[in-house]
Amino acid sequence: MKRPAQLALFAVVAALSLAAGFMLSPGLRPGPVDVSAVFAARLPDLSGQPQPIEQWRGKVLVVNFWATWCPPCLEEIPEFVRMQARLGDQGLQFVGIAIDRPDSVAAFARSHRINYPILLGDLAAMHLAKAAGNERGGLPFTLVIDRDGAVLSQHYGGLTEDALLPIVMKALR
Amino acid sequence: MIGRRLAVTATLALWLALLGPASALLASDELLEPEQAFRFSARMSGRDAIEVTYRIADGYYLYKERLHFSAEPAGVRLGTPEFPPAQWHEDEFFGRSEIYRGRVTVRIPVAADRALRTLRIVAVAQGCADVGVCYLPDTRTADLVRLGAGAAGTASE
């Protein structure tokens, strides 16, 4: 078989298996992302200062929605902290959006030495979550956007460094 | 040479075909809308109690301590909710918590002016799916009619 034919076969099978994957799990497939609404959002940080998401455009941006009352959310945060420390100077930027009480969030951020911005909100944060494709209000939920503002990944449920690293490394190159 | 290339392609293609769906399943089992995961209903039980029921889908659970009730209008007073026995759930952050699976009915005593005919129950619940996704606290309301003693009015959502 010639190389283009091989590539074509490969592409078809890849597309089919991706489609099959989505069909097998229709319920958890996140909704469409409104990237401009995500960048247009402004939410207060832990000191009450409003922070526009726009300031992180051009980075490989990982927006993670979480809460302190959500055990799977807490499990993944130490991995994010490690990745932020290791890859931050290459352009990786985590931003946590906590849908929770400010005092609980501040205490957790301190005790777990969170080294990336944490923004707070209820209604505004839920609007942002919807814009990010989180239609069911499930946590944790993570959106990865590349340097050009294109969506690389949306994910319901906990992430591990093993799952996230290949996605961000490709985008950091 | 061509044969070997074909074999490599076929292997990769098979691997992708198997892994594509499998990884999508691992990353994301089916997640229900909160209204389907936790089906809410409420009814008067006589004039002096409200029964709130959640029918909880398989693979989902509600936290007992995060079930909260209030009532409107302002003159309606709710007594201490009577919770049925719960199950224990263990996780590394909160330790042991009490949860409900399947179906839970909570009876809430209510006291209000005799003349009051309708009242609204406001229920807040928070739960998670076993696949590792938790839902935001979810508020449901029901408008209930108080009839004569013993008669029951029902409503939901």
Side-chain angles (χ1 to χ4, degrees):
Chain A
M1 205 188 296
K2 292 215 172 76
R3 203 173 175 77
Q6 267 184 33
L7 283 175
L9 173 65
F10 194 73
V12 166
V13 173
L16 280 177
S17 52
L18 195 65
F22 279 140
M23 280 186 286
L24 281 172
S25 55
L28 212 83
R29 182 150 55 120
V33 185
D34 183 347
V35 176
S36 55
V38 170
F39 280 116
R42 289 160 70 92
L43 292 169
D45 63 18
L46 289 172
S47 62
Q49 237 10 275
Q51 297 289 347
I53 305 287
E54 183 64 44
Q55 67 188 291
W56 296 295
R57 196 189 278 274
K59 303 264 192 184
V60 175
L61 182 59
V62 182
V63 184
N64 172 240
F65 295 84
W66 67 289
T68 59
W69 45 258
C70 157
C73 300
L74 307 186
E75 216 163 301
E76 61 184 355
I77 286 176
E79 313 217 7
F80 296 166
V81 170
R82 269 202 305 277
M83 288 176 75
Q84 182 65 58
R86 210 171 67 234
L87 299 167
D89 56 5
Q90 294 180 46
L92 180 63
Q93 184 63 59
F94 282 84
V95 175
I97 312 286
I99 304 176
D100 202 347
R101 291 166 37 152
D103 53 342
S104 316
V105 174
F108 186 87
R110 257 196 318 275
S111 65
H112 286 72
R113 298 195 162 84
I114 295 182
N115 54 357
Y116 52 84
I118 296 291
L119 312 185
L120 289 162
D122 34 51
L123 217 56
M126 280 153 78
H127 281 304
L128 177 56
K130 276 232 162 72
N134 183 354
E135 291 171 328
R136 286 177 170 73
L139 296 180
F141 181 82
T142 303
L143 174 71
V144 186
I145 298 175
D146 75 6
R147 295 183 195 272
D148 302 319
V151 175
L152 296 179
S153 168
Q154 294 166 280
H155 185 83
Y156 276 117
L159 275 169
T160 58
E161 188 172 340
D162 285 350
L164 192 54
L165 200 60
I167 298 167
V168 301
M169 286 313 285
K170 220 168 112 185
L172 286 173
R173 249 179 243 138
Chain B
M1 189 66 195
I2 286 172
R4 196 171 148 224
R5 261 198 205 162
L6 186 61
V8 169
T9 307
T11 308
L12 279 172
L14 185 67
W15 181 76
L16 254 183
L18 290 174
L19 199 75
S23 59
L25 268 181
L26 281 179
S28 57
D29 215 339
E30 185 155 332
L31 186 69
L32 296 175
E33 296 278 357
E35 293 76 16
Q36 295 164 337
F38 312 110
R39 289 178 185 272
F40 165 85
S41 61
R43 60 190 285 269
M44 291 301 302
S45 168
R47 279 182 69 81
D48 302 318
I50 299 168
E51 281 182 5
V52 168
T53 298
Y54 286 95
R55 280 173 295 142
I56 304 163
D58 280 352
Y60 294 75
Y61 56 89
L62 285 179
Y63 285 101
K64 177 182 170 187
E65 67 180 30
R66 289 179 219 156
L67 279 167
H68 298 289
F69 306 101
S70 57
E72 298 165 5
V76 180
R77 295 173 306 281
L78 297 182
T80 306
E82 298 161 19
F83 291 99
Q87 300 176 24
W88 288 107
H89 177 76
E90 189 100 29
D91 81 62
E92 68 170 295
F93 291 95
F94 302 138
R96 272 151 63 91
S97 316
E98 287 185 286
I99 60 160
Y100 292 110
R101 291 183 186 272
R103 182 190 177 105
V104 56
T105 295
V106 182
R107 190 182 152 88
I108 309 151
V110 57
D113 190 283
R114 287 185 70 81
L116 186 78
R117 292 295 303 275
T118 62
L119 59 90
R120 169 171 290 181
I121 178 82
V122 180
V124 181
Q126 200 267 306
C128 302
D130 288 329
V131 290
V133 177
C134 292
Y135 289 88
L136 295 170
D138 183 49
T139 303
R140 310 285 176 88
T141 62
D143 293 321
L144 305 176
V145 180
R146 291 172 90 210
L147 301 173
T154 58
S156 66
E157 307 296 301

